[in-house]
Amino acid sequence: MPKYARTTRGRLSRLNIIMFLPLLAAVGALLVATDAETWWQAVVLGLGVVAALVAFVKWAARDISRVALPCLIVAAAVWALGALVMGRETAFYGISIVCSLAVSQLPRHRGRVALGVIAYIAAVGATRLLVTQAPLSGALISYVIVPVGVTAVLTGLMFPNQRFYGLVEELEETREREAELAVMRERMRFASDLHDIQGHTLHVVKLKIALAQKLIHSDAERAEQELREVHALVSDTITQTKELAYAQRRLNLSAELENAKNLFEAAGIRVLVEREAEVDAHAGELLGQVLRETTTNILRHAQAEQVRITLSESGIAIVNDGAQDAPPPELRGLATLRERVAGNGGELTVEQKDGRFLTAAAFPHGRSDTALQSGKDNR
């Protein structure tokens, strides 16, 4: 099962249990307390309530198939005993709940099974009419119309409810595929950058070596000059390739910001950008690297629904939700950036708290210009 689908399913399960389980239990307990006249009647009616609660818990966990038949048998027996032996009209509570939950999870023949259970409830209620001494109209309402109507309504409501959960899971699966596609696009962009660096260099090297071969006998000095240029070009390409591999290639912050927004939106993640001030030109390159690395980490490791990017004159802060409860994973790209940011007089902060993950880089005012310029001059 996809990661997002598992997460959403777990959240919906917990929400259902928290919201509805206490209500179902309270209603069941109230019916038993008000309708049972002896302790054994309370036990019988209580079994129907227990069957309903067990079925609901398993339904919320999407695992009702294991208990559907036993719970349905218990609830059906409670309805038969309650209606025919004890004369307790509330005994249908358990079977109405179990039927609505179990039928909605069936892969096929759901309509037939629902009609079968409802027919059983009606048959038991009709049989009660043959043995009761109460007025026929009142017994018909209490033992046939109300149980059949309640069960039919609950079962009918579960079908669109089940479709809703199916749509939620489909949306989460689509979101995961979009996130994976966004990561693939980022990898393709990296491959494109690598091609731009090495493809041009290799072509130029090929031409210069061919020229040097032609000149080696007629103009040795010119051939030597061409080979020196080839050596310098290869050295420069190696440097650029290392910078690209370690996320140290010069980046444009505005372009990285637009790219991050496009990636997040493609993955179904809402993006909020706040500009507190214009970003210092000297700090923009490193901040762009922080933004690129953080974007990749969010797409690969988080289950974010919203990302907030805040830009200041010499800093950036990226906050995303959907962080795992477990300790944050070791992010080697950010570790490399932390060292470079620190080497240029700044500080990279990474924090995880209450399901939110913060990545922030800042260069103290007055230090960023000198430190960053010095770093560029030393390359």
Side-chain angles (χ1 to χ4, degrees):
M1 186 187 302
K3 174 180 62 179
Y4 289 123
R6 288 197 303 268
T7 303
T8 302
R9 179 173 293 183
R11 290 174 180 173
L12 290 175
S13 174
R14 290 192 294 271
L15 182 62
N16 280 320
I17 290 176
I18 292 173
M19 291 181 59
F20 297 111
L21 185 62
L23 178 62
L24 293 175
V27 171
L30 179 63
L31 292 177
V32 172
T34 56
D35 204 29
E37 295 180 347
T38 63
W39 67 267
W40 70 271
Q41 289 184 1
V43 170
V44 172
L45 296 177
L47 287 176
V49 174
V50 170
L53 298 180
V54 170
F56 178 79
V57 171
K58 290 298 184 180
W59 171 84
R62 310 282 291 188
D63 194 29
I64 194 175
S65 58
R66 297 186 180 184
V67 301
L69 185 59
C71 288
L72 194 58
I73 292 173
V74 170
V78 169
W79 170 233
L81 287 173
L84 301 179
V85 178
M86 299 186 302
R88 305 292 96 185
E89 62 267 21
T90 60
F92 75 90
Y93 179 77
I95 194 170
S96 65
I97 300 295
V98 175
C99 174
S100 62
L101 298 174
V103 169
S104 65
Q105 297 293 317
L106 293 175
R108 57 183 183 275
H109 306 310
R110 289 180 292 181
R112 295 179 182 179
V113 174
L115 289 176
V117 176
I118 292 173
Y120 169 79
I121 295 174
V124 172
T127 304
R128 173 64 185 177
L129 300 181
L130 302 178
V131 299
T132 184
Q133 301 297 323
L136 186 61
S137 59
L140 180 65
I141 294 174
S142 299
Y143 290 94
V144 179
I145 296 177
V146 171
V148 169
V150 171
T151 305
V153 169
L154 290 179
T155 304
L157 290 176
M158 290 304 298
F159 285 102
N161 178 277
Q162 184 65 19
R163 181 56 182 163
F164 166 76
Y165 284 105
L167 288 174
V168 170
E169 291 182 3
E170 290 177 10
L171 289 174
E172 290 297 336
E173 291 174 3
T174 300
R175 176 182 173 183
E176 182 173 12
R177 287 193 293 268
E178 290 290 346
E180 291 174 351
L181 185 60
V183 172
M184 291 179 62
R185 291 196 194 102
E186 184 68 12
R187 291 173 178 170
M188 290 295 294
R189 191 161 72 105
F190 179 90
S192 177
D193 289 346
L194 186 62
H195 177 270
D196 292 342
I197 293 172
Q198 296 189 350
H200 173 75
T201 300
L202 293 174
H203 183 68
V204 174
V205 166
K206 178 182 177 181
L207 294 176
K208 285 185 173 292
I209 290 178
L211 179 60
Q213 287 177 331
K214 293 180 180 179
L215 296 174
I216 193 169
H217 297 296
S218 59
D219 191 347
E221 184 176 349
R222 174 70 185 281
E224 184 179 355
Q225 175 63 27
E226 294 294 334
L227 291 175
R228 283 197 296 268
E229 291 181 5
V230 167
H231 182 272
L233 187 60
V234 171
S235 298
D236 184 61
T237 302
I238 292 174
T239 300
Q240 291 185 52
T241 303
K242 287 181 178 179
E243 290 177 349
L244 179 63
Y246 290 98
Q248 294 178 344
R249 195 178 180 212
R250 294 187 180 184
L251 302 176
N252 181 280
L253 179 58
S254 297
E256 286 303 310
L257 182 61
E258 187 65 26
N259 178 69
K261 290 173 60 179
N262 292 335
L263 290 174
F264 287 139
E265 290 172 356
I269 301 173
R270 298 189 303 276
V271 185
L272 176 63
V273 179
E274 299 177 353
R275 291 180 177 269
E276 299 178 352
E278 288 299 321
V279 178
D280 184 272
H282 296 296
E285 180 185 336
L286 271 178
L287 298 182
Q289 293 172 12
V290 173
L291 178 57
R292 173 184 281 195
E293 182 64 26
T294 304
T295 299
T296 302
N297 289 337
I298 292 173
L299 293 173
R300 295 184 62 185
H301 301 294
Q303 300 158 12
E305 296 181 358
Q306 179 172 312
V307 174
R308 186 177 74 252
I309 303 172
T310 304
L311 298 171
S312 61
E313 182 177 356
S314 57
I316 187 171
I318 305 104
V319 180
N320 64 276
D321 58 8
Q324 299 289 340
D325 295 333
E330 180 181 1
L331 303 175
R332 299 176 61 183
L334 284 181
T336 302
L337 277 177
R338 188 196 300 272
E339 296 177 359
R340 186 158 189 244
V341 169
N344 286 279
E347 181 180 5
L348 183 69
T349 302
V350 177
E351 295 179 355
Q352 178 176 318
K353 184 178 180 181
D354 298 332
R356 296 186 176 274
F357 197 96
L358 165 68
T359 306
F363 296 91
H365 187 68
R367 296 177 58 190
S368 60
D369 291 359
T370 303
L372 288 169
Q373 188 61 49
S374 174
K376 292 178 181 178
D377 293 340
N378 291 334
R379 284 195 225 183

